[in-house]
Structure formats: C-alpha cells, structure tokens
Amino acid sequence: MTIMKSLDRIDTDTESGLRSLKENGITCLRGFPNSVSLEKLINKTNKMLENPSIYGSQGYYQKDRHKKIYEAFLLGEEAHEVLLDERILDIIEGYLGSKALIQEMIVKNDLGDNELYFPMHAHTGSYRTSKNDGPFSVGIMLYTHDTEEGAFCFSPGTHKWNFPHGADPYKYPKEMQKEIFDGMIRVSGKKGDIVLFDHRGFHGPQQPVTKPRTVFLGGFHHAQDHGNKTKCPVAVYTTDLRSLNDRQKDVLGVHSDGAIIPAERLHYNTFKKDNPIAYKLADKIVKVYFKAQSSKGMLKKLIKK
C-alpha cells in the first residue's frame, strides 16, 4: 500500500500529546526518552537481534519468515525507564480516564520481505469484561531508528467511529473504506519518537515494503474494563523492578489480578504449533549433535584405555 501523506504534527509535552490523542486518535511524542538510556536500549536491542533463541540461549524468537520478536522488558532497566515514563502514563491514563494496565510489550523486527502479512485493522475490545463508552486501550510504539518506508500508519478520526462493522476495514461499505484509506497517514518518525494511538482507529504498518524496521510495540488498557488483569503475562527480571515506583509497578501488573491470556497462548510462543515439521527437524539436529558429543567422549575414553 502506497501512503503519501505523513503525520504533520509532532508533540513535545504531555498537554499537547493528550490533546492530539483526543482530537485525532494519535500523537507522536518527540524528545521524551533520555538520550543515554535510549542509546543503551537500542544497542541492547540490536545485539539481541543478532542471535536466535535456541535451546535456552538468549536471543530473538521467530515463528515465521516475516519478523523477529523479543519480550521488551527483558532488555533491562532502560526499557522500563523509556516505556514506563510517567509522562507517557499521564497521557494514557488521562485519555482512558482510568488507571491503566499493560497489555503486552515486545520488540518487533519486521524483515522487509515485500509481503503483506499484517494488514490494516482496528481493535474491538474483545477482552473487556465490562464496557464503557469511551476508549478502552492505547497502543504504544517506540522507533529505534529513523523510519519512513514501512512506518506505522493510522487513519485519524476513525477512533470515534467505534468500529461499526468490526475490525477489518475491507469489510466496510465502499464509501467508508474510501474514507478510511483516503485519510490514512504514515508516521515517518525519528529515532526515539514514541507514538501513542487509540486502538479503535484503523492502523497498521505500511506493507508490503522491502526495508526492515525495528520498533518496540505494545499497549495499555483500561484496568477496570478488563477485570484488573493484564492482557498477557509480562516477562521481567525481578531485580529490574527496584528502579520502578509504585505507580509503574501497578501499570506493569505487579498488583493486578493476573493475565487474560496464558503464557502458552502468546503469539510469539507458538513456533512448535505453527511449524511442527521445522520444530521436529531443529530438535532432531540438536539432539543428534549432543549424542555425537557423547559418543566422541566415550571414544576418547576407550582410546585412553
């Protein structure tokens, strides 16, 4: 999809950010992360993306040919500092009109394979246990590099529609489809930009593209509307929690009533289910390698005798 229009407004403080979110359903915040912490986080991210997680080794997860994924907060204290910045929480909770709880937070490295694999969509709040009339969740995205081709896209104003025909814009009446896609803008952002957006608005990455991109991607939802539960279990190192205040711990789910989706159902933990042949092959290769090591050791012992 070719999207020529770019977001023409950048916000640099909480007041203007909240105003943009209310008016347009989206804000691009610039200058929020501490530059030293941001660089440390990006360096950790790039290093992590060099190696896959195999048999417990630290590295990225990959369940398909399109992308690599990692659990964001396992990258350490800098991830907490940048993504749980209280100014960001002020905007999100001010917009939701409620205490917020995290949904999930991942690193997503789209590989630029020139395929459309993640089409435009809206969120319908299917996990809500009660329903208020306003927004129920806010997405967040952190750009780890300057991004144009393949950047996040959003159709401003559609967050006020409340998805009258569901999550898929291609199932809407033709005149509404035209309004959605004619209004779609691309957030051509800078390294360190943080995008907040109302999940009810139609959004997604520009695809297909040939250029890879890496972002931190997640969301926060209205706590009461979701039974005071996070959407997913959020992986953290407990020693990193010492740098968080009580509010940040609350948002992270430390004092929540659990998670809606169990860990085994998380979309990035389904390689075995989605790729059974590749899983069995990889497992067999490693086991044969270990068996060969054992046989080699036994052979050495026999030779010494």
Side-chain angles (χ1 to χ4, degrees), residues 143-180:
Y143 283 20
T144 66
H145 52 81
D146 293 358
T147 307
E148 291 190 13
E149 182 183 353
F152 177 73
C153 301
F154 189 86
S155 186
T158 58
H159 65 297
K160 298 178 181 179
W161 294 7
N162 275 320
F163 43 86
H165 300 284
D168 185 350
Y170 296 99
K171 293 182 179 179
Y172 277 59
K174 293 296 183 183
E175 64 274 12
M176 296 184 81
Q177 285 190 41
K178 186 175 189 308
E179 189 172 350
I180 292 167

Coordinates of all heavy atoms in Angstrom, one line a residue, residues 143-180:
Y143 N 10.2 4.1 18.1 CA 11.0 4.0 17.0 C 12.5 3.8 17.4 O 13.0 4.7 18.1 CB 10.9 5.2 16.0 CG 9.6 5.2 15.2 CD1 8.5 4.5 15.6 CD2 9.5 6.0 14.0 CE1 7.4 4.5 14.8 CE2 8.4 6.0 13.3 CZ 7.3 5.3 13.6 OH 6.2 5.3 12.9
T144 N 13.2 2.8 17.0 CA 14.6 2.6 17.3 C 15.5 3.2 16.2 O 16.7 3.2 16.4 CB 14.9 1.1 17.5 OG1 14.8 0.4 16.3 CG2 14.0 0.5 18.6
H145 N 14.9 3.7 15.2 CA 15.7 4.3 14.1 C 14.8 5.2 13.3 O 13.6 5.1 13.4 CB 16.4 3.3 13.2 CG 15.4 2.3 12.6 ND1 14.6 2.5 11.5 CD2 15.1 1.0 13.1 CE1 13.9 1.4 11.3 NE2 14.2 0.5 12.2
D146 N 15.3 6.1 12.5 CA 14.5 7.0 11.6 C 13.8 6.0 10.7 O 14.3 5.1 10.1 CB 15.4 7.9 10.8 CG 16.0 9.0 11.7 OD1 15.8 9.0 12.9 OD2 16.8 9.8 11.1
T147 N 12.5 6.3 10.5 CA 11.6 5.3 9.8 C 10.7 6.1 8.9 O 9.9 6.9 9.3 CB 10.8 4.4 10.7 OG1 11.7 3.8 11.7 CG2 10.1 3.3 10.0
E148 N 10.7 5.7 7.6 CA 9.8 6.2 6.6 C 9.1 5.0 5.9 O 7.9 4.7 6.3 CB 10.5 7.1 5.6 CG 10.9 8.4 6.2 CD 11.4 9.4 5.1 OE1 11.1 9.2 3.9 OE2 12.0 10.4 5.5
E149 N 9.8 4.4 5.0 CA 9.2 3.2 4.4 C 8.9 2.1 5.4 O 9.7 1.8 6.2 CB 10.1 2.6 3.3 CG 9.6 1.4 2.6 CD 10.6 0.8 1.6 OE1 11.7 1.4 1.4 OE2 10.3 -0.2 1.0
G150 N 7.7 1.6 5.4 CA 7.3 0.6 6.4 C 6.9 1.1 7.7 O 6.6 0.4 8.7
A151 N 6.7 2.5 7.8 CA 6.4 3.1 9.1 C 4.9 2.8 9.5 O 4.1 2.4 8.7 CB 6.6 4.6 9.1
F152 N 4.6 3.1 10.8 CA 3.3 2.9 11.3 C 2.3 3.9 10.6 O 2.6 5.0 10.3 CB 3.3 3.2 12.8 CG 1.9 3.1 13.4 CD1 1.3 1.9 13.6 CD2 1.3 4.3 13.8 CE1 0.1 1.8 14.2 CE2 0.0 4.2 14.5 CZ -0.6 3.0 14.7
C153 N 1.1 3.4 10.3 CA 0.1 4.2 9.6 C -1.2 4.2 10.5 O -1.5 3.3 11.2 CB -0.2 3.7 8.3 SG 1.2 3.6 7.2
F154 N -2.0 5.3 10.3 CA -3.2 5.5 11.1 C -4.1 6.4 10.4 O -3.7 7.3 9.6 CB -2.8 6.1 12.5 CG -4.0 6.2 13.5 CD1 -4.2 5.1 14.3 CD2 -4.8 7.3 13.6 CE1 -5.2 5.1 15.2 CE2 -5.8 7.3 14.5 CZ -6.0 6.2 15.3
S155 N -5.4 6.1 10.6 CA -6.5 6.9 9.9 C -7.1 7.8 11.0 O -8.0 7.3 11.7 CB -7.5 6.0 9.2 OG -8.5 6.7 8.5
P156 N -6.7 9.0 11.1 CA -7.2 9.9 12.1 C -8.7 10.1 12.1 O -9.3 10.2 11.0 CB -6.5 11.2 11.9 CG -5.2 10.8 11.1 CD -5.6 9.7 10.3
G157 N -9.3 10.1 13.2 CA -10.7 10.3 13.3 C -11.5 9.1 13.4 O -12.7 9.0 13.9
T158 N -11.0 8.0 12.8 CA -11.8 6.7 12.8 C -11.9 6.1 14.2 O -12.7 5.2 14.4 CB -11.1 5.7 11.8 OG1 -9.8 5.4 12.2 CG2 -11.2 6.2 10.4
H159 N -11.1 6.6 15.2 CA -11.3 6.1 16.5 C -12.6 6.5 17.1 O -13.1 5.9 18.1 CB -10.1 6.6 17.4 CG -10.1 8.1 17.6 ND1 -10.0 9.0 16.6 CD2 -10.3 8.9 18.7 CE1 -10.0 10.2 17.0 NE2 -10.2 10.2 18.4
K160 N -13.2 7.5 16.5 CA -14.5 8.0 17.0 C -15.7 7.2 16.5 O -16.8 7.4 16.9 CB -14.7 9.5 16.7 CG -13.6 10.4 17.4 CD -13.8 11.8 17.0 CE -12.7 12.7 17.7 NZ -12.9 14.1 17.3
W161 N -15.4 6.3 15.5 CA -16.5 5.5 14.9 C -16.9 4.4 15.8 O -18.0 3.9 15.6 CB -16.0 4.9 13.5 CG -15.7 5.9 12.5 CD1 -15.7 7.3 12.6 CD2 -15.4 5.6 11.1 NE1 -15.4 7.9 11.4 CE2 -15.2 6.9 10.4 CE3 -15.2 4.4 10.4 CZ2 -14.9 6.9 9.1 CZ3 -14.9 4.5 9.1 CH2 -14.7 5.7 8.4
N162 N -16.0 3.9 16.6 CA -16.3 2.7 17.4 C -16.6 1.5 16.5 O -17.5 0.7 16.8 CB -17.4 2.9 18.4 CG -16.9 3.6 19.7 OD1 -15.8 3.2 20.2 ND2 -17.6 4.6 20.2
F163 N -15.8 1.3 15.5 CA -15.8 0.1 14.6 C -17.2 -0.5 14.4 O -17.5 -1.6 14.7 CB -14.9 -1.0 15.2 CG -15.0 -1.2 16.7 CD1 -16.0 -2.0 17.3 CD2 -14.1 -0.5 17.6 CE1 -16.1 -2.2 18.6 CE2 -14.3 -0.7 19.0 CZ -15.2 -1.5 19.5
P164 N -18.1 0.3 13.7 CA -19.4 -0.2 13.5 C -19.6 -1.5 12.7 O -20.6 -2.1 12.8 CB -20.1 1.0 12.8 CG -19.0 1.7 12.1 CD -17.8 1.6 13.0
H165 N -18.6 -1.8 11.9 CA -18.7 -3.0 11.1 C -17.5 -4.0 11.4 O -17.1 -4.8 10.6 CB -18.7 -2.7 9.6 CG -19.8 -1.8 9.2 ND1 -21.1 -2.3 9.0 CD2 -19.9 -0.5 8.9 CE1 -21.9 -1.3 8.7 NE2 -21.2 -0.2 8.6
G166 N -16.9 -3.8 12.6 CA -15.9 -4.7 13.0 C -14.5 -4.2 12.8 O -14.2 -3.1 12.5
A167 N -13.5 -5.2 12.9 CA -12.1 -4.8 12.9 C -11.5 -4.7 11.5 O -10.4 -4.1 11.4 CB -11.3 -5.9 13.7
D168 N -12.1 -5.3 10.5 CA -11.5 -5.4 9.2 C -12.0 -4.3 8.3 O -13.2 -4.3 7.9 CB -11.8 -6.8 8.6 CG -11.1 -7.0 7.2 OD1 -10.6 -6.0 6.7 OD2 -11.2 -8.1 6.7
P169 N -11.2 -3.3 7.9 CA -11.7 -2.2 7.1 C -12.2 -2.6 5.7 O -13.0 -2.0 5.1 CB -10.5 -1.3 7.0 CG -9.3 -2.2 7.2 CD -9.7 -3.2 8.2
Y170 N -11.7 -3.8 5.2 CA -12.1 -4.2 3.9 C -13.5 -4.8 3.9 O -14.0 -5.1 2.8 CB -11.0 -5.3 3.4 CG -9.7 -4.7 3.2 CD1 -8.7 -4.8 4.2 CD2 -9.3 -3.9 2.1 CE1 -7.4 -4.3 4.0 CE2 -8.1 -3.3 1.9 CZ -7.1 -3.5 2.9 OH -5.9 -3.0 2.8
K171 N -14.1 -5.0 5.0 CA -15.5 -5.5 5.1 C -16.5 -4.4 5.3 O -17.6 -4.6 5.5 CB -15.6 -6.5 6.2 CG -14.8 -7.8 6.0 CD -15.0 -8.8 7.1 CE -14.2 -10.1 6.7 NZ -14.3 -11.1 7.8
Y172 N -16.0 -3.1 5.3 CA -16.8 -2.0 5.5 C -17.5 -1.6 4.1 O -16.9 -1.9 3.1 CB -16.0 -0.8 6.0 CG -15.9 -0.8 7.5 CD1 -15.3 -1.9 8.2 CD2 -16.4 0.2 8.3 CE1 -15.2 -1.9 9.6 CE2 -16.3 0.2 9.7 CZ -15.6 -0.9 10.3 OH -15.5 -0.9 11.7
P173 N -18.6 -0.8 4.1 CA -19.2 -0.3 2.9 C -18.1 0.5 2.1 O -17.2 1.1 2.7 CB -20.3 0.6 3.4 CG -20.7 0.0 4.7 CD -19.4 -0.5 5.3
K174 N -18.2 0.5 0.8 CA -17.2 1.1 0.0 C -16.9 2.6 0.3 O -15.8 3.0 0.3 CB -17.7 1.0 -1.5 CG -17.7 -0.4 -2.1 CD -16.3 -1.0 -2.1 CE -16.4 -2.4 -2.7 NZ -15.0 -3.1 -2.6
E175 N -18.0 3.3 0.7 CA -17.7 4.7 1.0 C -17.0 4.9 2.3 O -16.2 5.8 2.4 CB -19.1 5.5 1.0 CG -20.0 5.1 2.1 CD -20.9 3.9 1.7 OE1 -20.7 3.3 0.7 OE2 -21.9 3.6 2.5
M176 N -17.2 4.0 3.2 CA -16.4 4.1 4.4 C -15.0 3.6 4.3 O -14.1 4.1 4.8 CB -17.1 3.2 5.5 CG -18.5 3.7 5.9 SD -19.3 2.8 7.3 CE -18.5 3.6 8.7
Q177 N -14.8 2.6 3.4 CA -13.4 2.2 3.1 C -12.7 3.3 2.5 O -11.5 3.5 2.8 CB -13.5 1.0 2.1 CG -13.9 -0.3 2.6 CD -13.7 -1.5 1.6 OE1 -12.7 -1.5 0.9 NE2 -14.6 -2.4 1.6
K178 N -13.3 4.0 1.6 CA -12.7 5.2 0.9 C -12.2 6.2 2.0 O -11.1 6.8 1.9 CB -13.6 5.8 -0.1 CG -12.9 6.9 -0.9 CD -13.9 7.4 -2.0 CE -13.1 8.3 -3.0 NZ -12.4 9.4 -2.4
E179 N -13.1 6.5 2.9 CA -12.8 7.5 4.0 C -11.6 7.0 4.8 O -10.8 7.8 5.2 CB -14.0 7.7 4.8 CG -13.9 8.9 5.8 CD -15.2 9.2 6.5 OE1 -16.2 8.7 6.1 OE2 -15.1 10.0 7.5
I180 N -11.6 5.7 5.2 CA -10.6 5.1 6.0 C -9.2 5.3 5.3 O -8.2 5.8 5.9 CB -10.8 3.7 6.3 CG1 -12.0 3.5 7.2 CG2 -9.6 3.0 6.9 CD1 -12.6 2.1 7.4

